[in-house]
Amino acid sequence: MSKPLLQFTDSGIYCDAAGVYLDPWKPVDKALITHGHADHSRWGHKKYITHHDNVPIISHRLGDINVSGIAHGENLLINNVKFSFHPAGHIPGSCQIRVEHNDEVWVFTGDYKTENDGISTPYEPIKCDTFITECTFGLPAFKWRPQSEVMHDVNTWCAQNHAEGKTSILFAYSLGKAQRLIKHLDTSQMKIYCHGAVYKMTEVLRELIDFPETTLVTRDTTKEELKGSIVVAPPSAHGSAWMRKFVPYATASASGWMTFRGARRRRAIDKGFVLSDHCDWDGLLQSIDATGCENVITTHGYQEIFARYLREEKGLNAISERTQYEGENLNESEKELETEPELETLKAEEVKLKKEKK
């Protein structure tokens, strides 16, 4: 039997015919990179190839690396294997990778979402034979509200805090989620301040995206000027001494995991907004349907449950593969699920969905 076009190895997803890896998690000679998050673009590869918009992102994160960029849809031929990058809609610069060889087409999504967030090039469905999909939120319980509605809630919450003289602290990943919030925050009455990690990444992305003005929080920033403003910071800043400067404040987190009732309580935050840079249940299913694929490989998330659903309910050849990708705060969510009563609720919902289909 011939080898699959893409194989899951100890180092990452490997294309033997071309001798290249896709988003490898161990150092390799040549790596094709879908996007700039740390679990997909790691340090140590000899050569990086990615989309043009992702070049400044991973260069900022990884330092002095050998990296080149190509445009959307541009063909890259390596040993008669044709590669091309297509929008994934996950974060700025994120792409799916299409691989074609001997009339066989595979698509590796990396991470993706189908809703247009206003800062990322919108997701583009690609026809293929085999589709490698993440399923971070691959359960029917996960269904996102439109971004416009969520951001209305965010801005309403910030305005209320402003009226009460409190600083609104929004926790979000420094690459992607933070800029999505910043782009759509209402700055008519409030100024946006940023943690250093968020500020630096936003400045890198200003070359590509028009953002409202942001101000770096420094040692010289006074409590008086911060009062009633908005601060965007990474989740790691929560509970740190850095937070003392903002008293009195209210805290919020923007994540798909805010779907869980216990998530906000466990993180000791005041407010949770359900806003994810990944597909929800419907988005995953619609994306798979749009490819016209017969074969699906599920990765990080609820991959085994999701693959089983695709086999039993959709009639697809679906299997799951383990990777070292983490999705959206996956490790923390798994710990939460071990003790959250919602886990049984989610399993029950999956069973209910199957019965309704019959």
Side-chain angles (χ1 to χ4, degrees):
M1 291 180 62
S2 61
K3 294 180 179 178
L5 183 55
L6 297 178
Q7 306 165 60
F8 287 76
T9 73
D10 291 341
S11 295
I13 300 172
Y14 182 59
C15 180
D16 183 65
V20 301
Y21 287 84
L22 282 60
D23 287 1
W25 43 82
K26 290 183 180 179
V28 300
D29 288 342
K30 186 176 289 187
L32 274 61
I33 302 298
T34 61
H35 66 285
H37 280 152
D39 55 333
H40 287 260
S41 57
R42 306 198 182 207
W43 186 86
H45 310 314
K46 291 183 179 179
K47 171 67 177 177
Y48 295 77
I49 302 172
T50 190
H51 184 262
H52 286 308
D53 289 350
N54 196 38
V55 171
I57 296 171
I58 64 172
S59 296
H60 170 74
R61 283 195 52 252
L62 301 177
D64 185 15
I65 56 174
N66 180 11
V67 57
S68 61
I70 65 173
H72 287 135
E74 179 181 345
N75 288 326
L76 174 67
L77 198 63
I78 306 175
N79 294 345
N80 292 320
V81 181
K82 188 187 295 183
F83 298 89
S84 55
F85 288 73
H86 303 267
H90 173 55
I91 61 170
S94 64
C95 287
Q96 308 166 80
I97 300 177
R98 182 184 183 274
V99 187
E100 180 179 352
H101 185 58
N102 291 338
D103 297 323
E104 187 177 356
V105 177
W106 289 48
V107 169
F108 170 52
T109 61
D111 290 330
Y112 68 111
K113 72 171 181 293
T114 54
E115 183 180 29
N116 183 356
D117 61 15
I119 62 171
S120 310
T121 305
Y123 174 81
E124 174 186 321
I126 307 297
K127 296 292 183 180
C128 62
D129 304 302
T130 301
F131 190 58
I132 303 176
T133 177
E134 56 127 323
C135 48
T136 303
F137 296 104
L139 287 177
F142 297 109
K143 294 191 178 182
W144 310 146
R145 294 166 59 213
Q147 173 178 279
S148 58
E149 294 181 9
V150 178
M151 285 308 306
H152 176 269
D153 292 348
V154 172
N155 284 314
T156 299
W157 178 78
C158 291
Q160 181 178 345
N161 292 332
H162 175 77
E164 296 173 358
K166 296 179 182 177
T167 301
S168 300
I169 303 180
L170 292 167
F171 295 114
Y173 300 120
S174 60
L175 169 58
K177 188 72 65 63
Q179 289 75 33
R180 187 177 176 186
L181 290 170
I182 289 168
K183 176 67 177 177
H184 301 290
L185 285 171
D186 181 359
T187 58
S188 59
Q189 291 183 312
M190 292 162 278
K191 190 173 180 179
I192 302 174
Y193 287 85
C194 293
H195 181 281
V198 171
Y199 181 83
K200 291 176 183 177
M201 183 56 70
T202 303
E203 291 305 295
V204 170
L205 290 172
R206 279 190 191 278
E207 299 178 12
L208 309 171
I209 303 163
D210 180 26
F211 290 113
E213 181 182 356
T214 56
T215 301
L216 175 65
V217 176
T218 69
R219 291 181 179 179
D220 297 328
T221 307
T222 65
K223 284 189 176 184
E224 287 70 26
E225 58 186 299
L226 287 166
K227 187 177 180 181
S229 63
I230 303 170
V231 175
V232 184
S236 59
H238 185 37
S240 67
W242 182 79
M243 298 276 291
R244 296 173 188 166
K245 187 184 288 284
F246 310 116
V247 176
Y249 59 77
T251 57
S253 179
S255 169
W257 297 112
M258 292 298 107
T259 299
F260 293 138
R261 292 191 302 271
R264 177 167 59 90
R265 182 183 69 251
R266 291 181 183 281
R267 288 162 176 76
I269 57 174
D270 300 310
K271 185 73 174 178
F273 297 104
V274 180
L275 189 69
S276 176
D277 289 331
H278 298 258
C279 287
D280 64 2
W281 173 260
D282 290 336
L284 289 169
L285 295 179
Q286 291 165 6
S287 299
I288 292 168
D289 286 344
T291 68
C293 67
E294 295 181 356
N295 311 302
V296 179
I297 300 175
T298 63
T299 64
H300 50 303
Y302 295 98
Q303 65 258 37
E304 294 178 3
I305 293 174
F306 192 55
R308 186 170 72 245
Y309 175 85
L310 295 176
R311 289 193 302 269
E312 296 177 0
E313 303 298 327
K314 305 287 287 184
L316 295 169
N317 301 318
I319 61 172
S320 64
E321 289 283 359
R322 291 286 176 181
T323 66
Q324 291 189 20
Y325 310 132
E326 296 179 352
E328 184 172 306
N329 211 14
L330 184 59
N331 291 338
E332 193 170 344
S333 72
E334 284 183 337
K335 293 175 184 176
E336 186 171 273
L337 279 172
E338 289 173 2
T339 55
E340 278 292 339
E342 281 90 342
L343 179 57
E344 294 304 318
T345 303
L346 297 178
K347 288 180 178 178
E349 191 166 341
E350 181 198 9
V351 172
K352 179 183 175 182
L353 184 70
K354 288 184 177 181
K355 288 180 179 178
E356 290 174 350
K357 291 281 186 179
K358 292 180 179 179

